Structure formats: structure tokens, C-alpha cells
């Protein structure tokens, strides 16, 4: 069975989509079979893999709203072992359309159940909100990765996210765990970056990934070429950081860690 991991933080611009794209590509490079579910109406994960969102036949929207068979929405990417259920702007209206649906928090969970069991990891890229789409992603997931940018308001809003996770653990998905907090956009030259690392580690201790994602020009440029960093420049610092993260995630899974965390 695929391990389903959501990437969630209601703050925008923290590196969620960058992480979804590059972690998926790195896991695939390490011979894992990976499916990315773009669950964000902005569809940046889809375009980040070089796919034109205007020319899609079927998207995750069709799966959750129109009961389209999810296996028919899966498309390949340039990377072996890595496939995608794409998104587009249609997903904007999904939350309102889901409101009157029975068990509306479990719609994505039921969609993912119908996906062929051939993946090691399914990564769900969430939208920057704590709305019904994100609740669906967390209800469907085994665990969640929370990207935290090494900037001034890093911890602001994390309380709300952790509270949402707690509610979901209690009412919708008892087995949801926090895979880890991932420090992103780190610049070793900035005192502030180092202070944030210290603060997050003090706060969340062993729940923070050892791997830190550094600020990296190639990492920022790669999406405009429709490629993960590992294809755009495999030797760039960003590509190496995400390979290290993939390795850490695999080892964590083998050791059976991943914590329910005392939130």
C-alpha cells in the first residue's frame, strides 16, 4: 500500500509545492514509485512538471466531483516511476460543490482507495488554506509534512494548523501522524534564519527533519522550465537537499518512526 503524505500549511509561499515536486522526483530517483496528487486550485505542481493545465482531459476535480475513475486521470511525467493526478482552476469551486455531499470530509480518501496499488508513496500537494480540500487531504493521509520557512513569521499560524490536525486525528483519521516539520528557504548567512531553525527545533524537537532546504536559485528557476530541480540541475544545492530529504523519509519509514506528536 502507498504511504499517503500530505504537504500542508495554510500559509502560502512556504515551499509546499516546491517540496511536493522535488521530494517526489527525488523519491522516484531512489527507485520508489510515486504518485503526486495536485490538490491545489493554483495547479502549480501540475505546471511544475511541465504540463499545460489548459489542455487536461481529466483532473482531480473530475475524480472528486464527477466520480471519474482516478486511474483514468493519472498522467506520466518526464521522470520514470513518477506519475501525477493533475489539477486546474476548476478545483476552485470544489469546496462549495462538496458542501452538501454526505461524508464530505472523506471524498478524497474514497478516490485514493480506487487507485491501483502500485505506488510506494502518494504525495498530496494541498492548497494554502485550512478549508474542506485540506481537511479531505488530511483525512485521506497517513501523515503530513509541514514546510516552515526560515523567516520572521515562521511559527505564526502553525497553532491553527496543529489544531486542525488534532481535530482530524480525533474525529476523522485517528491514524494521522506528523511526518515532520521541514525547514525551507534557509540562508545560513542570515541570523534570522538560524534563529528560526533554533526556535522550531526547540518547539518541535525530534519532529523536525534533519534535512534543511536551503535558498537556491536553481530551485526557484526550475518550475518555469517545467522541471524538478533534479532534472534542471542535478548538482544544484536544492536538488541535493531534496535527495537528502527523500533518503531521510525512506529511512524514517523503515524505522517505523513518524509521530502522533503531543500537539
Amino acid at each position: 500500500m502507498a504511504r499517503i503524505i500530505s504537504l500542508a500549511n495554510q500559509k502560502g509561499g512556504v515551499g509546499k509545492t516546491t517540496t511536493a515536486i522535488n521530494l517526489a522526483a527525488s523519491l522516484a530517483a531512489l527507485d520508489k514509485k510515486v504518485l503526486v496528487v495536485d490538490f491545489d486550485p493554483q495547479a502549480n505542481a501540475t505546471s511544475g512538471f511541465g504540463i499545460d493545465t489548459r489542455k487536461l482531459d481529466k483532473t482531480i476535480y473530475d475524480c472528486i466531483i464527477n466520480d471519474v475513475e482516478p486511474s483514468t486521470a493519472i498522467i506520466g511525467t518526464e521522470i520514470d516511476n513518477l506519475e501525477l493526478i493533475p489539477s486546474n482552476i476548476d478545483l476552485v469551486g470544489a469546496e462549495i460543490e462538496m458542501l452538501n455531499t454526505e461524508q464530505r470530509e472523506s471524498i478524497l480518501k474514497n478516490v485514493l482507495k480506487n487507485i491501483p496499488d502500485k505506488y510506494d508513496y502518494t504525495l498530496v500537494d494541498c492548497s494554502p488554506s485550512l478549508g474542506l480540500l485540506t481537511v479531505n487531504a488530511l483525512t485521506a493521509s497517513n501523515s503530513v509534512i509541514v514546510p516552515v520557512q526560515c523567516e520572521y513569521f515562521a511559527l505564526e499560524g502553525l497553532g491553527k494548523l496543529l489544531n486542525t490536525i488534532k481535530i482530524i486525528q480525533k474525529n476523522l483519521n485517528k491514524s494521522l501522524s506528523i511526518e515532520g516539520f521541514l525547514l525551507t528557504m534557509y540562508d545560513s548567512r542570515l541570523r534570522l534564519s538560524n534563529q528560526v531553525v533554533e526556535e522550531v527545533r526547540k518547539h518541535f524537537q525530534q519532529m523536525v527533519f534533519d534535512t534543511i532546504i536551503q535558498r537556491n536559485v536553481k530551485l526557484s528557476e526550475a518550475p518555469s522550465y517545467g522541471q524538478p530541480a533534479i532534472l534542471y540541475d542535478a548538482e544544484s544545492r536544492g536538488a541535493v537537499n531534496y535527495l537528502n530529504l527523500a533518503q531521510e523519509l525512506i529511512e524514517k519509514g523503515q524505522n517505523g518512526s513518524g509521530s502522533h506528536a503531543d500537539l
Side-chain angles (χ1 to χ4, degrees):
M1 277 290 287
R3 183 162 180 75
I4 301 171
I5 303 174
S6 278
L7 291 111
N9 189 334
Q10 78 274 24
K11 272 186 80 154
V14 297
K16 267 192 311 292
T17 301
T18 300
T19 297
I21 291 170
N22 289 290
L23 176 56
S26 298
L27 287 165
L30 294 169
D31 287 333
K32 299 295 178 187
K33 289 195 165 23
V34 187
L35 177 69
V36 173
V37 178
D38 189 350
F39 211 46
D40 182 351
Q42 296 174 76
N44 291 336
T46 301
S47 53
F49 282 115
I51 290 148
D52 187 341
T53 59
R54 295 161 305 179
K55 293 181 178 168
L56 291 166
D57 189 23
K58 292 169 187 156
T59 67
I60 190 66
Y61 171 84
D62 299 300
C63 302
I64 60 171
I65 301 298
N66 302 327
D67 293 329
V68 161
E69 189 61 44
S71 55
T72 65
I74 294 172
I75 56 178
T77 68
E78 272 187 76
I79 295 175
D80 289 345
N81 293 332
L82 175 52
E83 294 181 322
L84 170 76
I85 298 185
S87 173
N88 62 14
I89 195 70
D90 291 351
L91 197 57
V92 165
E95 291 202 343
I96 289 169
E97 293 175 71
M98 291 157 84
L99 278 180
N100 297 322
T101 310
E102 229 175 280
Q103 289 190 306
R104 60 189 181 195
E105 298 90 354
S106 303
I107 296 170
L108 182 65
K109 183 180 184 175
N110 294 327
V111 165
L112 296 185
K113 268 186 194 158
N114 291 321
I115 283 174
D117 184 16
K118 62 173 185 172
Y119 301 103
D120 299 303
Y121 293 92
T122 297
L123 301 185
V124 183
D125 185 28
C126 296
S127 60
S129 81
L130 291 179
L132 193 50
L133 289 178
T134 299
V135 168
N136 259 266
L138 295 174
T139 302
S141 295
N142 303 110
S143 61
V144 54
I145 291 175
V146 183
V148 179
Q149 85 281 41
C150 296
E151 284 173 8
Y152 187 62
F153 292 117
L155 294 176
E156 198 181 66
L158 274 188
K160 274 199 184 74
L161 173 64
L162 295 180
N163 204 34
T164 301
I165 290 170
K166 221 189 226 172
I167 291 165
I168 287 167
Q169 284 174 338
K170 191 175 169 205
N171 301 309
L172 295 164
N173 181 2
K174 287 185 172 50
S175 61
L176 178 67
S177 66
I178 292 184
E179 194 70 50
F181 292 86
L182 174 67
L183 291 156
T184 63
M185 304 179 193
Y186 173 74
D187 185 338
S188 58
R189 297 165 303 181
L190 299 180
R191 196 162 119 235
L192 179 63
S193 271
N194 293 301
Q195 283 171 338
V196 171
V197 170
E198 225 171 279
E199 209 176 329
V200 173
R201 289 221 155 115
K202 192 171 80 187
H203 241 73
F204 299 111
Q205 297 166 3
Q206 79 286 358
M207 293 162 62
V208 183
F209 282 104
D210 293 335
T211 305
I212 293 178
I213 308 301
Q214 292 161 291
R215 270 199 187 281
N216 178 240
V217 174
K218 302 285 190 204
L219 209 47
S220 310
E221 288 174 356
S224 60
Y225 292 88
Q227 291 184 327
I230 204 168
L231 279 188
Y232 181 62
D233 183 349
E235 289 175 13
S236 66
R237 188 178 286 169
V240 172
N241 286 166
Y242 276 110
L243 266 173
N244 291 340
L245 178 65
Q247 197 69 62
E248 189 178 345
L249 185 66
I250 292 166
E251 282 165 17
K252 226 176 168 194
Q254 287 163 348
N255 300 335
S257 52
S259 63
H260 246 81
D262 300 320
L263 299 180

Coordinates of all heavy atoms in Angstrom, one line a residue, residues 102-143:
E102 N -22.6 13.9 1.3 CA -22.5 13.1 2.6 C -21.1 12.7 2.8 O -20.3 12.4 1.8 CB -23.3 11.8 2.4 CG -24.3 11.5 3.5 CD -25.1 10.3 3.2 OE1 -26.1 10.4 2.5 OE2 -24.8 9.2 3.7
Q103 N -20.6 12.7 4.0 CA -19.2 12.4 4.4 C -18.3 13.2 3.5 O -17.3 12.6 2.9 CB -19.0 10.9 4.2 CG -19.7 10.0 5.2 CD -19.2 8.6 5.2 OE1 -19.2 7.9 4.2 NE2 -18.7 8.1 6.3
R104 N -18.5 14.5 3.5 CA -17.8 15.3 2.5 C -16.3 15.4 2.9 O -15.5 15.7 2.0 CB -18.4 16.7 2.6 CG -18.4 17.4 3.9 CD -19.1 18.6 4.0 NE -19.1 19.2 5.3 CZ -19.8 20.2 5.8 NH1 -20.8 20.7 5.0 NH2 -19.7 20.7 7.0
E105 N -15.9 15.1 4.1 CA -14.5 15.1 4.5 C -13.7 13.9 4.0 O -12.5 13.9 4.0 CB -14.3 15.2 6.1 CG -15.0 16.4 6.7 CD -16.4 16.2 7.1 OE1 -17.0 15.1 6.8 OE2 -17.0 17.1 7.7
S106 N -14.4 12.9 3.5 CA -13.8 11.7 3.1 C -13.8 11.4 1.6 O -13.5 10.3 1.2 CB -14.4 10.5 3.9 OG -14.4 10.7 5.2
I107 N -14.2 12.4 0.9 CA -14.3 12.2 -0.6 C -12.9 11.8 -1.2 O -12.9 10.9 -2.0 CB -14.9 13.5 -1.3 CG1 -16.3 13.7 -0.8 CG2 -14.9 13.3 -2.8 CD1 -16.9 15.1 -1.2
L108 N -11.9 12.6 -0.9 CA -10.6 12.2 -1.5 C -10.1 10.9 -1.0 O -9.5 10.1 -1.8 CB -9.5 13.3 -1.1 CG -8.1 13.0 -1.7 CD1 -8.2 13.1 -3.2 CD2 -7.1 14.0 -1.1
K109 N -10.4 10.5 0.3 CA -10.0 9.2 0.8 C -10.6 8.1 -0.1 O -9.9 7.1 -0.4 CB -10.4 9.1 2.2 CG -10.0 7.8 2.9 CD -10.6 7.8 4.4 CE -10.1 6.5 5.1 NZ -10.4 6.5 6.5
N110 N -11.9 8.3 -0.4 CA -12.5 7.2 -1.2 C -12.0 7.2 -2.6 O -11.9 6.1 -3.3 CB -14.1 7.5 -1.2 CG -14.6 7.3 0.2 OD1 -14.1 6.4 0.9 ND2 -15.6 8.0 0.6
V111 N -11.6 8.4 -3.2 CA -11.0 8.4 -4.5 C -9.7 7.6 -4.5 O -9.4 6.8 -5.4 CB -10.8 9.9 -5.0 CG1 -9.8 9.9 -6.2 CG2 -12.1 10.5 -5.3
L112 N -8.8 7.9 -3.5 CA -7.5 7.3 -3.5 C -7.6 5.8 -3.2 O -6.7 5.1 -3.6 CB -6.6 8.0 -2.4 CG -6.3 9.5 -2.6 CD1 -5.4 10.0 -1.6 CD2 -5.7 9.7 -4.0
K113 N -8.6 5.4 -2.6 CA -8.8 3.9 -2.4 C -8.9 3.2 -3.7 O -8.6 2.0 -3.8 CB -10.1 3.7 -1.6 CG -9.9 3.6 -0.1 CD -11.2 3.2 0.6 CE -11.2 3.5 2.1 NZ -12.6 3.6 2.6
N114 N -9.4 3.9 -4.7 CA -9.6 3.2 -6.0 C -8.4 3.3 -7.0 O -8.5 3.0 -8.1 CB -10.8 3.9 -6.7 CG -12.1 3.5 -5.9 OD1 -12.3 2.4 -5.5 ND2 -13.0 4.5 -5.8
I115 N -7.3 3.8 -6.4 CA -6.1 3.9 -7.3 C -5.4 2.6 -7.2 O -5.2 1.9 -6.2 CB -5.2 5.1 -6.8 CG1 -5.9 6.4 -7.3 CG2 -3.8 5.0 -7.3 CD1 -5.2 7.6 -6.8
P116 N -4.9 2.1 -8.4 CA -4.1 0.8 -8.4 C -3.0 0.8 -7.4 O -2.3 1.8 -7.2 CB -3.5 0.7 -9.8 CG -4.4 1.7 -10.6 CD -4.9 2.7 -9.7
D117 N -2.9 -0.3 -6.7 CA -1.9 -0.4 -5.6 C -0.5 -0.7 -6.1 O 0.0 -1.8 -6.0 CB -2.4 -1.5 -4.6 CG -1.5 -1.6 -3.4 OD1 -0.7 -0.6 -3.1 OD2 -1.5 -2.6 -2.7
K118 N 0.1 0.3 -6.8 CA 1.4 0.1 -7.3 C 2.5 1.1 -6.9 O 3.6 1.1 -7.3 CB 1.4 0.0 -8.9 CG 0.9 1.3 -9.5 CD 1.0 1.3 -11.0 CE 0.7 2.6 -11.6 NZ 0.9 2.7 -13.1
Y119 N 2.0 2.1 -6.0 CA 2.9 3.1 -5.6 C 3.5 2.9 -4.2 O 2.8 2.3 -3.4 CB 2.1 4.5 -5.6 CG 1.6 4.8 -7.0 CD1 0.2 4.7 -7.3 CD2 2.4 5.3 -8.0 CE1 -0.3 5.0 -8.5 CE2 1.9 5.6 -9.3 CZ 0.5 5.4 -9.5 OH 0.0 5.7 -10.7
D120 N 4.7 3.4 -4.0 CA 5.2 3.4 -2.6 C 4.8 4.6 -1.9 O 4.6 4.5 -0.6 CB 6.8 3.3 -2.7 CG 7.3 2.1 -3.4 OD1 6.9 1.0 -3.0 OD2 8.0 2.2 -4.4
Y121 N 4.7 5.7 -2.6 CA 4.3 7.0 -1.9 C 3.3 7.7 -2.8 O 3.4 7.8 -4.0 CB 5.5 7.9 -1.7 CG 6.5 7.4 -0.8 CD1 7.6 6.7 -1.2 CD2 6.4 7.7 0.6 CE1 8.6 6.2 -0.3 CE2 7.4 7.2 1.5 CZ 8.5 6.5 1.0 OH 9.4 6.0 1.9
T122 N 2.3 8.3 -2.1 CA 1.4 9.3 -2.8 C 1.5 10.6 -2.0 O 1.3 10.6 -0.8 CB -0.1 8.8 -2.7 OG1 -0.2 7.6 -3.4 CG2 -1.0 9.8 -3.3
L123 N 2.0 11.6 -2.7 CA 2.2 12.9 -2.1 C 1.0 13.8 -2.5 O 0.8 14.0 -3.7 CB 3.5 13.5 -2.5 CG 4.8 12.8 -2.2 CD1 6.0 13.6 -2.6 CD2 4.8 12.4 -0.7
V124 N 0.3 14.4 -1.6 CA -0.8 15.3 -1.9 C -0.4 16.7 -1.6 O -0.1 17.1 -0.5 CB -2.1 15.0 -1.0 CG1 -3.2 15.8 -1.4 CG2 -2.4 13.5 -1.1
D125 N -0.4 17.6 -2.7 CA 0.0 19.0 -2.5 C -1.3 19.8 -2.2 O -2.1 19.9 -3.0 CB 0.6 19.5 -3.8 CG 1.2 20.9 -3.7 OD1 1.5 21.3 -2.5 OD2 1.2 21.6 -4.7
C126 N -1.3 20.3 -0.9 CA -2.6 21.0 -0.5 C -2.6 22.4 -0.9 O -1.5 23.0 -1.1 CB -2.7 20.9 1.0 SG -2.9 19.2 1.6
S127 N -3.7 23.0 -0.9 CA -3.9 24.5 -1.1 C -3.5 25.2 0.2 O -3.6 24.7 1.3 CB -5.3 24.8 -1.6 OG -6.2 24.5 -0.6
P128 N -3.1 26.5 0.0 CA -2.7 27.2 1.3 C -4.0 27.7 2.0 O -4.3 28.9 2.0 CB -1.9 28.4 0.7 CG -2.3 28.5 -0.7 CD -2.8 27.2 -1.2
S129 N -4.7 26.8 2.6 CA -5.9 27.2 3.4 C -6.1 26.0 4.3 O -5.6 24.9 4.1 CB -7.1 27.4 2.5 OG -7.7 26.2 2.1
L130 N -7.1 26.2 5.3 CA -7.5 25.1 6.1 C -8.9 24.7 5.8 O -9.7 24.3 6.7 CB -7.3 25.4 7.6 CG -5.9 25.5 8.1 CD1 -5.8 25.9 9.5 CD2 -5.1 24.2 7.8
G131 N -9.3 24.9 4.5 CA -10.7 24.6 4.1 C -10.9 23.1 3.9 O -10.1 22.3 4.2
L132 N -12.0 22.9 3.2 CA -12.5 21.5 3.1 C -11.5 20.6 2.2 O -11.4 19.4 2.4 CB -13.9 21.5 2.5 CG -14.7 20.2 2.5 CD1 -14.7 19.5 3.8 CD2 -16.1 20.4 2.0
L133 N -10.9 21.2 1.3 CA -9.9 20.5 0.4 C -8.8 20.0 1.3 O -8.4 18.8 1.2 CB -9.3 21.3 -0.7 CG -10.3 21.7 -1.8 CD1 -9.6 22.6 -2.9 CD2 -10.8 20.4 -2.5
T134 N -8.2 20.8 2.2 CA -7.1 20.4 3.0 C -7.6 19.4 4.1 O -6.9 18.4 4.3 CB -6.5 21.6 3.7 OG1 -6.0 22.5 2.7 CG2 -5.4 21.2 4.7
V135 N -8.8 19.6 4.6 CA -9.4 18.6 5.5 C -9.5 17.2 4.8 O -9.2 16.2 5.4 CB -10.7 19.1 6.1 CG1 -11.5 18.0 6.8 CG2 -10.5 20.3 7.0
N136 N -9.9 17.2 3.6 CA -10.0 16.0 2.8 C -8.7 15.3 2.7 O -8.5 14.1 2.8 CB -10.6 16.3 1.4 CG -12.1 15.9 1.3 OD1 -12.4 14.8 0.9 ND2 -12.9 16.8 1.7
A137 N -7.6 16.1 2.3 CA -6.3 15.6 2.2 C -5.8 14.9 3.5 O -5.2 13.8 3.4 CB -5.3 16.7 1.7
L138 N -6.0 15.6 4.6 CA -5.5 15.1 5.9 C -6.3 13.9 6.3 O -5.8 13.0 6.9 CB -5.6 16.2 6.9 CG -4.7 17.4 6.7 CD1 -4.9 18.5 7.8 CD2 -3.2 17.0 6.7
T139 N -7.6 13.9 6.0 CA -8.4 12.7 6.3 C -8.0 11.5 5.5 O -8.0 10.3 6.0 CB -9.9 13.0 6.0 OG1 -10.3 14.1 6.8 CG2 -10.8 11.8 6.4
A140 N -7.4 11.7 4.3 CA -7.0 10.6 3.4 C -5.6 10.1 3.7 O -5.1 9.1 3.2 CB -7.1 11.1 1.9
S141 N -4.8 10.9 4.5 CA -3.4 10.7 4.6 C -3.0 9.8 5.8 O -3.6 9.8 6.8 CB -2.7 12.0 4.7 OG -2.8 12.7 3.5
N142 N -1.8 9.2 5.6 CA -1.2 8.5 6.8 C -0.5 9.5 7.6 O -0.4 9.4 8.9 CB -0.2 7.5 6.3 CG -0.8 6.4 5.5 OD1 -0.5 6.3 4.3 ND2 -1.7 5.6 6.0
S143 N 0.1 10.6 7.0 CA 0.9 11.5 7.7 C 1.0 12.9 6.9 O 0.5 13.0 5.8 CB 2.3 11.0 7.9 OG 3.0 10.8 6.7

